[in-house]
Amino acid sequence: AISADQASSPTTGPIAPDGVGAPPGNVPAVSGTLDQPAAITNNDARGIATARQSNEFDGATLGEPYRLYLILPLALRAYRQGDTVASMLTGTTMWYFPVLSGTEARAVLIVDQMPEGWRAGAFGKPRLATRLDSLARHWPSSSGAHPKLIAVLQASQYLFTVPERSADNLTRLEDAGDANLGVAGDVVVALMPLVEANMADSMGGR
């Protein structure tokens, strides 16, 4: 089941923690708009490595970020065959930056728009970093593709859609390395039992 903290925390992200470390204290606030936060410099990325007290991220750089979108249970229940993926999405204020060691994504830095401005939050999630790396390699922006990163909190699932390909493609992020994109209707059918079961467990625990 998904706890209330996992479902709502702006610093740990919406999915069960995957190697998430404490927010790096020496990463400064960043500026920008909701649609495009200002890029964090490579010097800031090296600061993250220092905060982690690890040589693993020496010389780290940041990859192209993904704004996080949600599919809420109400949207899943309202979905009908032929509906667009865009009609199910709710935007968040969080952006996920892959942290690159060389050319390989090794971690994720989450930047969130807080009341006082943009702040760097959680740092970690190596498994998610690997999957985002695969997504970027198979659907690079140089090809005209701009995948959207999506989370279904109550199913502990990350998904993605490639709007340039079709209005109804939806694929589990763990399948980002496959050549074929999934279909929204099939994914919704697969997710609904997980969502309903986790919501029932959550309500039962109160």
Side-chain angles (χ1 to χ4, degrees):
I2 308 303
S3 71
D5 288 342
Q6 290 169 347
S8 61
S9 170
T11 56
T12 59
I15 304 300
D18 172 23
V20 175
N26 61 338
V27 177
V30 294
S31 61
T33 66
L34 178 57
D35 289 333
Q36 185 58 64
I40 297 174
T41 68
N42 289 340
N43 283 336
D44 291 332
R46 283 191 287 274
I48 297 165
T50 302
R52 294 275 292 183
Q53 296 181 337
S54 168
N55 294 327
E56 184 180 3
F57 296 100
D58 282 353
T61 59
L62 296 181
E64 188 173 344
Y66 297 87
R67 183 183 176 187
L68 183 69
Y69 293 83
L70 303 179
I71 296 181
L72 303 175
L74 199 61
L76 282 176
R77 294 187 184 117
Y79 175 82
R80 296 294 180 268
Q81 198 70 33
D83 287 351
T84 66
V85 171
S87 69
M88 291 191 287
L89 300 183
T90 296
T92 76
T93 59
M94 289 186 286
W95 286 74
Y96 283 39
F97 286 81
V99 179
L100 309 178
S101 179
T103 60
E104 182 180 357
R106 303 294 297 276
V108 175
L109 174 67
I110 300 176
V111 174
D112 193 13
Q113 188 181 42
M114 307 297 283
E116 66 274 14
W118 289 96
R119 299 294 299 181
F123 175 73
K125 296 183 176 288
R127 183 170 54 183
L128 175 61
T130 298
R131 291 173 176 172
L132 290 178
D133 194 40
S134 181
L135 179 63
R137 292 178 189 277
H138 283 82
W139 300 100
S141 57
S142 60
S143 71
H146 297 91
K148 290 185 176 181
L149 179 64
I150 303 164
V152 180
L153 309 186
Q154 295 79 7
S156 290
Q157 289 280 329
Y158 282 110
L159 314 170
F160 72 94
T161 185
V162 185
E164 293 81 8
R165 291 299 171 129
S166 68
D168 67 344
N169 71 82
L170 188 62
T171 308
R172 296 185 306 170
L173 187 61
E174 62 193 77
D175 297 328
D178 295 345
N180 297 322
L181 294 171
V183 178
D186 295 340
V187 175
V188 169
V189 168
L191 287 177
M192 278 307 303
L194 292 173
V195 170
E196 297 291 1
N198 279 332
M199 290 182 66
D201 287 347
S202 178
M203 293 297 293
R206 292 182 180 179

